[in-house]
Every structure is written in C-alpha cells, then in structure tokens.
Amino acid sequence: ALAIQQRLSTELRQSLFVAVMGAEDFEHAAERLSHVALTAKAGVAEACLILFHCAIREKVPNPFYEHICEVLCSRPAPWGKKFSHCLKRAAVQHLQQAHTY
C-alpha cells in the first residue's frame, strides 16, 4: 500500500521498494534488492531509480541508502559495474527532473 502511495506504478518498482523498506539493515537491503533486480531485464536500472526515489523523500539525509549503494557497487564484475553505471544514470535523471519543479 505504501508503494502505491509513493506512485510506484509497476509491479517491479513496488517489489524493489518493498525489498528496501522491509530489510533489517543495509546489507540485507542490498541482498534483497539485488535478488529482485536480477529477476528482470531492466531490474538493475529500476533498482537504482528506487534507491534515489527513497533517498530523496527522506526529510534528513539517511546514510542507509548510501551504504546500500556502496554494497551494490562493490559486487564483482559485471554486477558492480552495472549498478555503478545505473546509479550515475539515475542521478542524472533525478537532477533533470529537479529542473522541472
């Protein structure tokens, strides 16, 4: 229900959101997120967008999301590089959207 309130329209985005929010700690969140992300073709890109979506909506900076990103990017090739590249693209997308507000 919270995923729908956040306007996460696809089932993949909702699953990724639940994977992050239902985790016990950042390592568990990274594991759950990567598990869900690797089940879909665009899963890695969507996972990175969800991380930014969650981090931006926090009232104060939360290092939880930073730690998740560090864990995902430190994975062995090719997944670590893929997460790193997709996080950069997600950052650019969110910065471009910020100019439209």
Side-chain angles (χ1 to χ4, degrees):
L2 185 59
I4 294 169
Q5 284 180 337
Q6 294 280 328
R7 296 185 180 174
L8 300 174
S9 54
T10 67
E11 190 174 319
L12 176 61
R13 286 185 178 191
Q14 291 172 4
S15 297
L16 291 165
F17 180 81
V18 169
V20 172
M21 293 302 159
E24 296 172 7
D25 60 7
F26 70 90
E27 291 172 342
H28 187 229
E31 189 63 38
R32 289 176 58 155
L33 193 65
S34 64
H35 179 73
V36 174
L38 299 178
T39 61
K41 185 176 181 180
V44 174
E46 291 291 329
C48 295
L49 287 171
I50 292 300
L51 281 172
F52 269 92
H53 173 88
C54 295
I56 287 171
R57 279 156 181 76
E58 293 281 336
K59 294 189 190 300
V60 293
N62 188 343
F64 176 73
Y65 303 106
E66 177 187 351
H67 293 306
I68 294 172
C69 293
E70 287 174 354
V71 169
L72 293 174
C73 291
S74 66
R75 300 245 161 146
W79 299 112
K81 287 188 177 198
K82 191 177 239 187
F83 275 110
S84 178
H85 177 72
C86 288
L87 281 169
K88 291 174 190 173
R89 291 186 72 185
V92 168
Q93 275 187 288
H94 278 283
L95 287 171
Q96 287 173 338
Q97 286 178 352
H99 289 294
T100 62
Y101 295 136

